[in-house]
Every structure is written in C-alpha cells, then in structure tokens.
C-alpha cells in the first residue's frame, strides 16, 4: 500500500467503503499458518506427521488421536485444513493462483497476473550435439537427404549426379552403422542382426525391450534397404549392370525383405538388356512365383515381359501361350498387337484374323469426348469443362487413344497382304472389321493407306482411283485424299492438276498445313514467290512445327533476294533439325550470297561431318577456298569430289587447269581425256588434250590428236591452223594439203558470215519498206545465197579426209581402256638445220586462253 497515494479529503465522498464484514478480513490470513499451509499444499492432502504445528515446541510431538490418526487443525477463521503432501511442500490454492492473486504480492508491488514484470523468458536449452544419440540422428538425416537428392537428380535426367549422391549416401550409411556400434546402447544393435533375423527374448520382463529393439531394427533396416535400392537403381540407370545386380542380390538374399519378387523383376530387366534371355526368363518366373495372386496387374505385366523375351528367342509358340493368357485375363492393346506379330511370324492366317478382331475390341476405358463439349449455358459448368479439357488426365486419354490407333493401323497394314490372296482384298477385310468396331474413323485412314501401298507398288493409276473415291466423303478425309492427289500430280509435273487438288484440299480443310504447302509449291513453280511465301506463312500459323513450310519459305526468300529473312528461317529450322544436311547447305549458300565466305565454309564443314561423301558439297568447298586464294585446300576438296564423282565437268576442268597452271601438263591430260568421254561432241576438250601433248613436248602424239580431231571435225579452223604449224615445224609433206583446206574453210566461213549479215540487213530493210516486191526480191537473193553456200559446203565435205559428217563419231570409236594415254616420251625432232622458229610465238600467239578452262 505504500505506492498508493491518498487524495486530500475535501468531502466524505467515499464514506462506507471501509466498513466490511470481519469474516472477509484478509490481512490476518497472512499470519494464519494453517491457512497458508493449506494454500501451498496440492491435491488437498494434509501435512505429514512430522510437520510443525502452531503451539508445539521445536522437536515436539504432534497430537494424535487414540487410533493413531492425525488431529485436524482448524484455521483462525474456523476453516478446515485442506491437507498436506508427504514431502512437506505446501499445496497452492490453484483457484487463487490462476488469477494471479497473492496477498504477499499485493503489498509493496503492482498487480501483475501475467508475470510481465519478471522480464523475458530464459533462452531455450541448447542441444548437446556431442552425445552419441545426437550424432546418430544427424547422420540419419544426412543419409535421407542424400537419397532424396539422388532421386531428384534422376528425375531431371542428371544420371551421373544421381549415382554420385547414391554412393555418398552409402558411405554415410556405413559411417552411421559404425557410430551405432560404437555407442554401445542396447537399442543401437549392430545392423548385422537385421540380416540374421534373430531377436533373443529372455523372460516376460524382456518384452518391452524386445519391442523397442524390433522397432529400431525395422527402422535401421528400412534405411539400409532404401540406400541399397537407390544405389542399385542408379547403377542400372547408368548402364553399370554388374554393380546393379550385386546391389540387388544383397537386398534380395536378406530374409527380412518380403518383397523380393519385385526386385527380381528389376534384375530380370537387366538381364534382358544384357541379352541374357534365358536368365531373364528365369528371374521373371521366380518373381511370378513370389508375387501373390492379389497383385493381378503386376503378374500380367511380368507375363507380358516373359512373352517378349520368348519373341526375342524366336520361340513364338511359347510367346503365343503367354500373350493368349493375358488376352483372356486382362486384354490390352500392346499384348494384342504382340499376339498378331507372333501369328504373322508363324504364318497362321485364321488366327491372325481372330487376333485382329480381339485387338479392335479391347476396351480403352476412355470416356466419350462429348463430355468435354459445353452442353449448357451455365458459366460454372462451362468453366469446369474448359478446365478439364486440357488437363493431365485428358492428355493421357488422348495419348492412349493415339497409341491404340497406331497399333491397329500397323497391324492392318501388316496382315492385309497375308490374310488374303491379294493385299487389296486383305485391306478390304480389315476396313470392314474396323467399321464394325469402336474405331470407325480409322476405316478411311486404312483406305488412304491402301492407296499409298499402291504407290509403293508403282501402281499409280490404282492409287489415284482409290484416292478419288474420297471426294464425296466428309471434310477431313476429303482434305487428306486431295492433299495426297495434289502431291502425286506435282511429282508427275502435272502442275495444273496439282493446283486443282490443292484448292480442293484447302476448301475442305483450310487449316490443313499440307494442303497449304502443296498450294504454295504449285505457285512456286510458276515463279510467283511472293504468293508462295504467303501460303507457307499461313501453313506455319496453323502448325508452327511444320518444317516443310519453314524450309520452302526460306527458299522463297532466297529467290526474292531477301537473304536475311531466308537466313532467319533456316536458322530456326536448324534449331529443330540439328543434323539436316539440306538445312546446313542452305545456310552456307545464304552466307555466300551475303558475302561471308568464312561462315559459308564453316557450315559446309558441318555438312561434310554428316555426309562426308557428297561430291557436290566437296566441290563447293573447293570453289570457296579457290575464291579465297587457298589453292592447296581447293585442290584437296576438288580431288575428293572427283574421287567420289568423276563425271563432274566443272571439277574436271578445274583440276586440269590447276595442273596446267603448275606446269604439269602430263597430269592434266587424264582429266581432259575424261572430259572428252563425257562430252564426245565438244571439240574444246580434244583441242586442250592436243595442246597439252604439244606443251609437254610430245609433238608426235599431238599431231596424231590433231589429225583425229580434223577427221571428226573437218571444218574446225583452230585444228587446221595447228596442223599447218606442226607440219611446217616437223617438215612434213602434208603441209600444203592442210594449208589448202585451211584457206577453203576460212573462205567458207567468211561467205557464211557475209550471208548472215546480208540476210539481217535485207530483213530489216524489208520490214521498213513493207512492200511485196522487195520482199520477193529478198527471198530470191536469199535462196541464191543459200544454194551457193550449200555448194561450198558440199565441196568441203568432198575434201580428202573429210568424208564424215560433223559430229558423226560416236563414243564407241574412242579407246577409253588405256592406262597411260601419253605413252613413252618421244625425243624432240632436230630442227637445227632448218629455219629457227620463235617458240614463244608458236606457244602463245594463236593458242590464246580459249583453249584453256575458264
């Protein structure tokens, strides 16, 4: 009360408040020992016999009754005692203490029922991590965390990281076992006891301890099993099969593991991957024996694996037994398809038909697609429908349906030629069966596949007739058939028909990207590249993954000289088709057009890495290196191109010119002689061969070559000039003969040129005058000139050695079987006694560059 300040008494406003009943006098209760002891005791028990009561001396004896019981003592207010505890501690009055009341606290302190004046609570006691129990708990947590990290790494495809985490978990788990052994507690039994499966119980007083040990053993064994199982799985995922099998064996041979059959399935799968099929069958059968009939689906899957292994062994009868049992107990699409394959392998037509009927009657367990269509105007139900339209479950249903259709289509295409005398009747039977099943829409697809089979058999007319039957059917099938017809006519270069069916396919289904591509192709061949690009863009808007549209769009941009846009198209396509040589070649071509030959060379090198024997790509690399001035690299790539394709005239011409430039005319001869074999009517190559002989000093062979050229091409002026010069140089008697022929040929050439010139002038004059008479005059002069030219030509053909017509020789007259066309080197004729000849004039004046490759 010392903290209470009284106000100055002005008037007696609070009179009567101090008047109270003496019964409620709480000041004396503090001095009442019996009351205070009753307040501090618990459960209402009285104080023990040794308690000190008021009025007894220290060490005095308490009052007892004649029966030995304690005499209850009343408080000063006549309240009975509530009792005392045996240890002498006072029982608190919980009704008062819970409210925060204490008479001792009321004096000299403020009212604080929540104890806020005592300050903050003491800090929590820090765990001592040095104890064996805490160390074991920490190690257990680390092992579990490593197992989780290993599983997460496997889920994202980081198989090597998952294996490392699994190994780390194994090391931590062994350290945990050592820690448990070192702790010495009875609960931390050595983990070897978990493999022995023996727990010794001595007497009924050991029951609680045995239960605790059993629980601890089970927990330790589960952790050990988890570590080993995860490690075995990671070994198997990383194709470390021996290590995985060892880990599985450690788990399976333990008697406490009750699910050994499941792990034997994993072991059998590993033997299957190792192609150890007999042992795989053994473990599958062991697993089948250890798994109860309650797990029906698991047993069906194991039997399906057994059937697949029998197929790999070629034991089709045993495989048929397994698959037939599955189709009887729990039919599914995959097993039905495998059963058809086995019947096809043994050639059983009737059972193939029955198996196909079973296949198309397998229930998929998929709800009708109509439930995903909004059926009412209720916004809440429509919202639910939109939510489930593309959820995971619906996607799984779609995937299952697509897989079933794929198996049915493949089975029909497989057995159609085998179940009947002809594949057409077999397809018809399959179509009839499919029309009576749940897969009615597949009947039209089978008909289209029938047309494609006709194409593979090169029966174009039957394919077209089959596809034309779809013109009056529903839009989807009609669009697919018209697309195929457009493609066929495009391959046949009947572009009008291809354009017609492309329009038909687009009208039936405007969102068909294949139809849009065919339409764009028909426009592309008409050189309307802008319009073709629009069709390709529309196809990409309908299907962004349509690689054909993207490729053709890039070609269109290339033809329009929009190289940057074309480059963007092919770069996008390259990100989709990483190893497509066509795409990489187009990128190289575009970089060459943009003036970046180094980038073009890099892309062509990537093409060579995928197709190292492509002669055209090698020739392109040679050309780019030649343009960059790197003759040695160019020669290497041109030589490789010639080795793979020795009929490319451009490559042959470059290699011959390279040897001439490097003064190896003898080596150039073999390339130009091959050019004469490829183009026997082109006099250019034969003249170059003769020139190579002459420059290499083999004049006799050069003379023979020129004579052969003159025999085949008697009106060739260059050949006659070289014959005259060589004959003069070698002192031959045929000089005058060749000189006479040369003069006649040159004269005939001049007359022909004059006739052509005069004809052009008269034609122009006739158009200007427009008169009939002058036109008739011009016609007469032209006829006279023509008659004169024919007479001269006849005289040239009657010359000695020229009795064969121009280009009359055939390839058979050339001897292409020789090895060395040059033969032995001949000595240069001695011309010292004759008039000296200027070698430079002879070599350079009349040959010119026209005899060499451009």
């Amino acid at each position: 009360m010392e903290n209470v300040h009284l106000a100055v008494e002005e008037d007696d406003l609070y009179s009567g408040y101090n008047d109270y009943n003496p019964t409620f006098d709480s000041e004396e209760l503090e001095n009442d020992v019996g009351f205070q002891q009753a307040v501090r005791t618990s459960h209402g028990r009285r104080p023990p016999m040794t308690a000190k009561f008021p009025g007894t001396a220290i060490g005095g004896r308490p009052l007892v009754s004649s029966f030995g019981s304690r005499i209850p003592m009343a408080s000063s207010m006549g309240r009975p005692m509530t009792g005392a505890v045996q240890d002498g501690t006072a029982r608190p009055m919980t009704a008062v203490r819970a409210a925060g009341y204490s008479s001792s606290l009321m004096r000299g302190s403020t009212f604080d029922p929540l104890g806020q004046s005592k300050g903050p609570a003491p800090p929590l006691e820090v765990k001592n991590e040095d104890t064996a129990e805490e160390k074991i708990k920490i190690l257990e947590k680390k092992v579990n965390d490593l197992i989780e990290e290993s599983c997460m790494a496997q889920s994202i495809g980081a198989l090597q990281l998952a294996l490392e985490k699994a190994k780390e978990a194994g090391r931590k788990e062994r350290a945990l076992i050592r820690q448990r052994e070192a702790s010495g507690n009875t609960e931390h039994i050595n983990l070897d006891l978990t493999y022995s499966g023996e727990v010794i119980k001595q007497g009924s007083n050991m029951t609680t301890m045995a239960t605790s040990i059993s629980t601890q053993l089970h927990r330790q064994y589960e952790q050990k099993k988890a570590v080993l199982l995860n490690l075995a799985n990671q070994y198997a995922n990383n194709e470390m099969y021996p290590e995985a099998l060892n880990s599985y064996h450690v788990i399976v041979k333990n008697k406490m593991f009750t699910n050994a059959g499941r792990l034997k399935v994993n072991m059998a799968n590993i033997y299957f991957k190792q192609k150890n099929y007999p042992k795989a069958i053994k473990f599958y059968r062991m697993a089948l024996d250890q798994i109860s009939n309650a797990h029906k689906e698991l047993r069906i899957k194991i039997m399906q694996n057994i059937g697949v292994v029998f197929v790999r062994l070629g034991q089709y009868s045993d495989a048929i037994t397994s698959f037939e049992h599955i189709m009887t107990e729990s039919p599914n699409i995959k097993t039905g398809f495998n059963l058809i394959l086995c019947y096809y392998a043994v050639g059983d037509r009737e059972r193939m038909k029955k198996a196909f009927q079973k296949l198309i009657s397998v229930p998929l367990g998929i709800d009708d697609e109509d439930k995903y269509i909004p059926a009412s105007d209720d916004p809440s139900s429509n919202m639910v429908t939109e939510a489930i339209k593309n959820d995971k479950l619906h996607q799984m249903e779609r995937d299952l349906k697509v897989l079933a259709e794929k198996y049915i289509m493949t089975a029909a295409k497989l057995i159609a030629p085998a179940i009947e005398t002809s594949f057409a009747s077999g397809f018809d039977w399959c179509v009839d069966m499919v029309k009576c099943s749940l897969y009615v829409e597949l009947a039209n697809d089978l008909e289209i596949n029938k047309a494609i089979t006709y194409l593979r058999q090169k029966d174009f007319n039957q394919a077209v007739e089959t596809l034309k039957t779809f013109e009056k059917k529903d839009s989807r099938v009609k669009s697919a058939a018209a697309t195929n017809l457009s493609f066929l006519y495009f391959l046949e270069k009947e572009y009008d028909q291809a354009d017609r069916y492309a329009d038909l396919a687009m009208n039936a289904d405007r969102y068909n990207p294949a139809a849009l591509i065919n339409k764009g192709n028909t426009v592309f061949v008409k050189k309307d590249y802008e319009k073709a690009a629009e069709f390709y863009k529309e196809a990409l808007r309908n299907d962004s993954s349509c690689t054909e549209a993207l490729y053709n769009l890039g070609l269109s941009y290339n033809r329009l000289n929009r190289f940057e846009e074309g480059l963007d198209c092919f770069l996008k396509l390259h990100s989709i088709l990483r190893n497509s040589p066509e795409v990489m070649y187009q990128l190289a071509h575009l970089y060459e057009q943009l003036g970046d030959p180094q980038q073009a060379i890099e892309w062509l090198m990537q093409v060579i890495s995928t197709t190292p024997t492509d002669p055209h790509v090698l020739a392109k690399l040679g050309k780019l290196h030649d343009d960059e001035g790197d003759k040695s690299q160019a020669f290497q790539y041109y030589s490789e191109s010639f080795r793979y394709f020795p009929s490319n005239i451009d490559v042959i011409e470059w290699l011959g010119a390279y040897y001439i430039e490097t003064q190896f005319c003898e080596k150039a001869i073999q390339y130009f002689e091959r050019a004469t074999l490829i183009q026997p009517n082109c006099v250019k190559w034969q003249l170059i061969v003769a020139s190579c002989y002459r420059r290499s000093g083999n004049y006799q062979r050069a003379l023979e070559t020129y004579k052969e050229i003159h025999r085949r091409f008697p009106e060739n002026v260059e050949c006659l000039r070289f014959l005259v010069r060589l004959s003069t140089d070698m002192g031959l008697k045929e000089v005058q003969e060749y000189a006479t022929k040369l003069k006649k040929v040159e004269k005939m050439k001049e007359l022909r040129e004059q006739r052509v010139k005069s004809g052009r002038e008269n034609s122009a004059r006739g158009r200007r005058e427009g008169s009939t008479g002058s036109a008739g005059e011009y016609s007469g002069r032209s006829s006279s000139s023509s008659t004169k030219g024919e007479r001269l030509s006849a005289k040239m053909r009657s010359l000695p050695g020229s009795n064969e017509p121009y280009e009359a020789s055939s390839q058979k007259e050339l001897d292409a079987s020789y090895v060395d066309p040059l033969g032995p080197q001949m000595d240069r004729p001695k011309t010292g006694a004759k008039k000296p000849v200027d070698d430079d004039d002879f070599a350079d004046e009349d040959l010119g560059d026209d005899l060499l490759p451009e």
Side-chain angles (χ1 to χ4, degrees):
M1 297 297 293
E2 60 188 7
N3 294 328
V4 178
H5 301 282
L6 301 176
V8 181
E9 267 191 311
E10 294 181 357
D11 50 3
D12 195 6
L13 296 176
Y14 303 101
S15 61
Y17 281 95
N18 292 328
D19 300 336
Y20 59 91
N21 194 340
T23 307
F24 303 105
D25 186 6
S26 60
E27 294 180 359
E28 296 298 330
L29 293 177
E30 187 176 359
N31 299 323
D32 190 343
V33 178
F35 179 78
Q36 293 297 329
Q37 190 171 3
V39 168
R40 293 186 180 91
T41 56
S42 62
H43 305 291
R45 289 176 291 185
R46 295 181 180 181
M49 298 301 293
T50 57
K52 303 299 185 296
F53 290 94
T56 59
I58 299 174
R61 184 179 180 185
L63 298 175
V64 296
S65 65
S66 59
F67 299 99
S69 60
R70 289 172 292 185
I71 300 175
M73 299 295 293
S75 65
S76 60
M77 298 186 63
R79 181 176 176 176
M81 295 178 62
T82 59
V85 294
Q86 294 180 2
D87 56 357
T89 58
R91 176 180 179 273
M93 292 182 66
T94 56
V96 180
R97 182 68 58 85
Y101 172 77
S102 175
S103 60
S104 61
L105 293 176
M106 290 298 294
R107 296 181 179 180
S109 64
T110 58
F111 180 73
D112 188 14
L114 301 179
Q116 297 178 355
S117 62
K118 296 180 181 180
L124 297 175
E125 183 179 357
V126 180
K127 289 185 178 181
N128 188 7
E129 296 184 357
D130 295 334
T131 63
E133 185 178 358
E134 289 299 325
K135 289 181 179 179
I136 289 173
K137 289 182 179 179
I138 292 173
L139 281 176
E140 286 181 352
K141 186 177 184 304
K142 287 182 179 179
V143 171
N144 292 331
D145 291 343
L146 285 171
I147 293 174
E148 291 180 3
E149 291 174 5
S150 176
C151 295
M152 293 299 295
Q154 178 191 352
S155 65
I156 62 176
L159 301 181
Q160 188 63 34
L161 178 61
L163 180 59
E164 294 297 328
K165 294 291 183 181
K167 290 180 179 179
E168 182 68 20
R171 290 191 290 268
K172 293 290 184 184
E173 198 270 339
R174 289 190 291 271
L176 176 61
I177 293 176
R178 291 193 295 269
Q179 184 68 29
R180 284 170 176 163
E181 292 175 351
S183 64
N185 294 334
T186 56
E187 294 184 357
H188 300 115
I189 304 296
N190 192 319
L191 196 58
D192 292 338
L193 292 177
T194 62
Y195 296 112
S196 66
E198 298 177 358
V199 179
I200 301 175
K201 300 181 181 179
Q202 299 178 358
S204 60
N205 59 345
M206 296 294 293
T207 303
T208 306
M209 180 180 177
T211 304
S212 176
I213 292 174
S214 177
T215 304
Q216 184 70 18
L217 288 176
H218 180 72
R219 183 168 62 85
Q220 295 176 11
Y221 174 70
E222 289 297 327
Q223 188 178 40
K224 176 73 174 178
K225 184 182 70 174
V227 171
L228 285 175
L229 181 59
N230 181 58
L231 183 60
N233 290 337
Q234 301 311 328
Y235 276 136
N237 292 332
N238 285 273
E239 298 182 357
M240 302 171 66
Y241 299 131
E243 293 84 352
L245 289 173
N246 291 336
S247 300
Y248 283 130
H249 276 297
V250 172
I251 304 174
V252 169
K253 72 180 181 180
N254 192 330
K255 297 179 182 179
M256 292 185 65
F257 184 59
T258 58
N259 295 322
R262 296 175 182 267
L263 290 189
K264 286 181 180 178
V265 174
N266 292 4
M267 298 170 72
N269 291 339
I270 291 177
Y271 286 124
F272 180 82
K273 292 177 181 178
Q274 291 180 333
K275 297 184 179 181
N276 190 352
Y277 300 128
K279 208 159 188 177
I281 292 178
K282 175 185 175 182
F283 273 83
Y284 279 134
R285 285 177 170 170
M286 291 170 62
L288 199 63
D289 294 338
Q290 295 180 7
I291 294 175
S292 63
N293 293 329
H295 303 88
K296 182 179 178 181
E297 294 184 2
L298 182 58
R299 290 176 62 86
I300 290 295
K301 291 179 180 178
I302 295 174
M303 292 188 67
Q304 186 172 347
N305 289 357
I306 292 174
V308 172
V309 177
F310 278 129
V311 171
R312 291 296 181 92
L313 289 172
Q315 301 177 12
Y316 298 112
S317 58
D318 296 329
I320 288 172
T321 303
S322 298
F323 292 144
E324 283 180 344
H325 177 74
I326 296 172
M327 292 300 290
T328 304
E329 296 293 329
S330 178
N332 60 80
I333 290 291
K334 186 177 293 185
T335 304
F337 180 73
N338 290 337
L339 185 59
I340 291 176
L341 292 180
C342 293
Y343 286 144
Y344 181 81
V346 298
D348 194 336
R349 293 186 177 183
E350 294 301 324
R351 297 174 83 179
M352 270 191 276
K353 291 183 177 181
K354 293 180 180 179
F356 185 77
Q357 291 174 349
K358 289 182 180 179
L359 178 65
I360 61 179
S361 62
V362 172
L364 296 180
I366 298 176
D367 294 333
D368 192 6
E369 290 288 333
D370 294 339
K371 75 174 184 178
Y372 299 106
I373 301 175
S376 64
D377 296 333
D378 186 8
S380 58
S381 62
N382 292 341
M383 187 179 299
V384 172
T385 303
E386 289 294 331
I388 67 175
K389 184 180 294 184
N390 292 316
D391 61 353
K392 296 292 184 180
L393 179 60
H394 192 204
Q395 291 177 8
M396 185 185 70
E397 291 177 348
R398 284 199 298 261
D399 294 340
L400 182 59
K401 186 175 181 181
V402 169
L403 182 64
E405 292 177 352
K406 176 184 176 183
Y407 281 140
I408 292 172
M409 291 288 296
T410 306
K413 289 188 288 185
L414 178 68
I415 68 174
I419 59 178
E420 298 291 344
T421 56
S422 64
F423 90 94
S425 57
F427 260 109
D428 293 338
W429 182 88
C430 292
V431 169
D432 293 338
M433 291 297 105
V434 169
K435 286 181 179 179
C436 300
S437 68
L438 301 174
Y439 306 94
V440 183
E441 63 274 8
L442 289 182
N444 294 324
D445 295 335
L446 281 174
E447 290 282 356
I448 293 178
N449 275 280
K450 179 181 176 182
I452 294 174
T453 308
Y454 277 125
L455 285 177
R456 288 174 180 165
Q457 295 180 352
K458 298 182 179 180
D459 194 346
F460 180 77
N461 295 327
Q462 284 291 337
V464 171
E465 291 298 325
T466 304
L467 291 173
K468 285 183 177 180
T469 59
F470 293 96
E471 293 185 6
K472 297 182 180 180
K473 293 192 177 182
D474 62 340
S475 60
R476 186 186 68 84
V477 181
K478 182 179 180 180
S479 177
T483 300
N484 290 333
L485 283 171
S486 175
F487 174 72
L488 292 176
Y489 282 121
F490 187 85
L491 292 180
E492 291 292 321
K493 297 184 179 180
E494 297 182 17
Y495 300 125
D496 294 334
Q497 287 290 337
D499 187 58
R500 172 176 170 270
Y501 280 102
D503 291 333
L504 186 62
M506 289 171 54
N507 294 332
D509 184 7
R510 185 69 184 184
Y511 298 98
N512 184 359
L516 292 167
I517 292 172
N518 287 346
K519 179 64 177 178
N521 291 343
T522 58
V523 178
F524 186 92
V525 296
K526 297 176 182 177
K527 299 184 179 181
D528 191 354
Y529 304 120
E530 286 286 354
K531 194 173 181 180
E534 293 299 324
F535 283 112
Y536 298 143
K537 289 178 183 178
E538 187 176 354
L540 285 173
R541 286 193 293 269
N542 294 336
D543 183 7
S544 59
S545 62
C546 186
T547 55
E548 295 86 356
L550 194 57
Y551 187 92
N552 293 348
L553 181 61
L555 291 180
S556 300
Y557 285 141
N558 187 16
R559 296 296 178 89
L560 292 169
N561 295 329
R562 293 156 63 176
F563 302 124
E564 293 290 346
E565 297 178 44
L567 189 64
D568 292 338
C569 291
F570 285 111
L571 287 174
K572 291 178 184 177
L573 193 58
H574 178 66
S575 62
I576 301 173
L577 306 174
R578 302 295 299 179
N579 297 321
S580 174
E582 294 84 1
V583 175
M584 291 186 284
Y585 184 84
Q586 292 297 331
L587 285 169
H589 176 69
L590 286 170
Y591 275 116
E592 182 185 6
Q593 296 294 326
L594 290 171
D596 193 350
Q598 293 300 324
Q599 282 288 338
I601 291 173
E602 289 182 9
W603 282 106
L604 287 176
M605 293 299 295
Q606 294 188 37
V607 177
I608 289 298
S609 66
T610 57
T611 55
T613 60
D614 191 327
H616 298 288
V617 177
L618 291 168
K620 188 72 173 179
L621 272 171
K623 179 180 181 301
L624 288 174
H625 281 292
D626 186 27
D627 294 340
E628 290 294 303
D630 192 349
K631 294 287 185 180
S632 59
Q633 282 290 336
F635 174 73
Q636 176 184 351
Y637 286 117
Y638 273 121
S639 299
E640 287 293 310
S641 177
F642 178 79
R643 185 164 67 91
Y644 290 118
F645 184 57
S647 299
N648 191 334
I649 289 294
D650 295 332
V651 174
I652 292 172
E653 185 177 6
W654 191 93
L655 288 171
Y658 175 80
Y659 280 118
I660 291 176
E661 184 179 353
T662 54
Q663 304 299 322
F664 290 100
C665 297
E666 297 88 349
K667 292 185 178 181
I669 292 173
Q670 59 177 333
Y671 294 102
F672 291 119
E673 285 187 339
R674 182 172 292 273
T676 61
L677 296 177
I678 298 171
Q679 296 180 351
N681 296 326
C682 183
V683 70
K684 169 185 175 182
W685 309 120
Q686 300 182 40
L687 288 173
I688 295 177
V689 170
S691 177
C692 290
Y693 281 126
R694 182 178 53 78
R695 293 194 176 193
S696 62
N698 195 346
Y699 296 106
Q700 183 64 35
R701 191 61 183 270
L703 180 63
E704 294 175 0
T705 306
Y706 281 125
K707 287 182 178 180
E708 180 65 23
I709 296 171
H710 176 65
R711 186 181 66 82
R712 297 185 59 209
F713 307 100
E715 296 181 359
N716 189 273
V717 178
E718 290 80 6
C719 177
L720 287 171
R721 287 175 181 171
F722 283 115
L723 281 173
V724 171
R725 295 228 173 180
L726 277 176
S727 300
T728 304
D729 184 53
M730 298 175 67
L732 301 177
K733 60 182 179 179
E734 295 92 346
V735 175
Q736 190 61 35
E737 178 185 353
Y738 292 132
T740 304
K741 290 182 180 180
L742 177 61
K743 291 179 181 179
K744 292 180 178 180
V745 170
E746 289 178 345
K747 183 65 176 177
M748 185 187 67
K749 186 177 180 181
E750 291 177 2
L751 292 175
R752 187 183 295 118
E753 291 176 355
Q754 291 178 2
R755 183 184 61 189
V756 171
K757 183 177 179 181
S758 62
R760 290 176 181 174
E761 292 177 354
N762 292 333
S763 177
R765 189 184 306 111
R767 283 196 299 270
R768 285 195 302 268
E769 295 177 357
S771 61
T772 329
S774 61
E777 244 178 62
Y778 167 70
S779 178
R781 287 197 301 268
S782 177
S783 176
S784 175
S785 300
S786 176
T787 305
K788 186 177 181 181
E790 289 176 0
R791 288 196 300 268
L792 288 174
S793 178
K795 289 182 179 180
M796 289 300 301
R797 287 197 298 269
S798 64
L799 291 175
S802 61
N803 53 356
E804 295 180 8
Y806 190 77
E807 297 185 0
S809 62
S810 62
Q811 190 171 346
K812 295 180 181 179
E813 299 178 26
L814 297 175
D815 185 11
S817 61
Y818 50 82
V819 177
D820 188 0
L822 296 179
Q825 183 73 28
M826 295 181 63
D827 295 333
R828 182 184 178 91
K830 297 179 180 180
T831 57
K834 299 183 181 296
K835 182 180 179 180
V837 180
D838 191 354
D839 292 335
D840 293 335
D841 293 339
F842 179 75
D844 299 329
E845 180 180 357
D846 293 325
L847 293 181
D849 295 333
D850 58 331
L851 297 182
L852 297 178
E854 294 179 359

